[in-house]
Amino acid sequence: MNEQPSSSQPRTPAIPDQLIQIAHEQEGGAERVISQMEVVQNSFEEIQNLARDCQEILKRIVPPSDDLATLIDKMESIALHADNGTYNVQGVYDLFQYQDIVRQKLEKVGHRLIDVSEYILHNLQPMAQETLTSASSGRDILERRVQEPDQVKPETDAIIAEFFSKLRSSK
């Protein structure tokens, strides 16, 4: 484990906050990529239309020749590649739908962690004055250094004594 950061170091955001931040960053990035993909898809559609128009013009040119047939074949290839490009753009949209599901899952996990954190803070953190002054039970764990024991031996002894007294009273 690492030591707690000193007051001069910036505090690392909590895990739920980090997850939600990642989810929001993913959403913003996805929106930008999708808008660019729309531009690419429109370009492919325009290439398809232009290729079809050129094919129609070439078919009306008289006299037919081998060069004309080759040119028509090339235009068909251009249209085919534009069709493939459009198909691949649709595949990218599918991938972004999956990415959106992952983002939603991240947000869900982040919100559940926040709920758990709030539950712990409201229901498990001691509030009564007599509980606050009892043996530490590790409440100072966030403020102490790694591998450092309870502040003093009497606190540890008090925790053990408190445990045994509760055990005896429950019998």
Side-chain angles (χ1 to χ4, degrees):
M1 294 183 80
N2 296 331
E3 292 185 19
Q4 286 290 344
S6 66
S7 59
S8 64
Q9 293 176 330
R11 185 173 177 268
T12 304
I15 291 172
D17 297 333
Q18 291 177 26
L19 288 173
I20 290 172
Q21 179 183 355
I22 290 168
H24 289 300
E25 288 171 358
Q26 289 291 344
E27 183 176 16
E31 288 174 3
R32 288 189 299 276
V33 171
I34 286 175
S35 68
Q36 288 299 308
M37 291 306 298
E38 289 172 355
V39 170
V40 170
Q41 184 172 7
N42 290 336
S43 294
F44 278 126
E45 290 170 357
E46 187 62 28
I47 291 169
Q48 288 172 315
N49 293 334
L50 290 170
R52 285 187 193 107
D53 292 345
C54 289
Q55 284 175 303
E56 291 301 317
I57 293 169
L58 289 173
K59 286 177 184 177
R60 289 190 302 250
I61 293 178
V62 180
S65 68
D66 288 340
D67 288 339
L68 183 61
T70 302
L71 190 55
I72 289 173
D73 289 343
K74 297 269 185 209
M75 294 305 297
E76 287 176 3
S77 292
I78 290 171
L80 179 65
H81 285 292
D83 287 342
N84 288 339
T86 301
Y87 176 79
N88 289 330
V89 167
Q90 292 301 320
V92 171
Y93 283 128
D94 292 342
L95 291 172
F96 273 103
Q97 287 176 343
Y98 172 76
Q99 181 275 339
D100 188 50
I101 291 169
V102 170
R103 178 193 58 79
Q104 291 173 15
K105 287 179 180 180
L106 280 172
E107 284 181 344
K108 189 175 186 178
V109 168
H111 288 297
R112 287 206 175 156
L113 284 172
I114 290 169
D115 292 343
V116 168
S117 175
E118 287 174 354
Y119 175 83
I120 290 170
L121 289 174
H122 289 105
N123 297 304
L124 301 179
Q125 187 174 16
M127 297 295 184
Q129 190 60 36
E130 61 274 6
T131 310
L132 291 172
T133 58
S134 67
S136 74
S137 304
R139 279 192 303 276
D140 66 337
I141 199 165
L142 296 176
E143 286 83 32
R144 72 171 96 142
R145 299 222 289 255
V146 178
Q147 305 286 326
E148 186 177 280
D150 283 333
Q151 297 295 327
V152 290
K153 185 178 181 319
E155 283 187 5
T156 306
D157 293 339
I159 292 170
I160 294 169
E162 187 179 333
F163 171 75
F164 283 118
S165 70
K166 287 181 181 178
L167 185 64
R168 278 190 222 119
S169 67
S170 68
K171 288 184 178 182

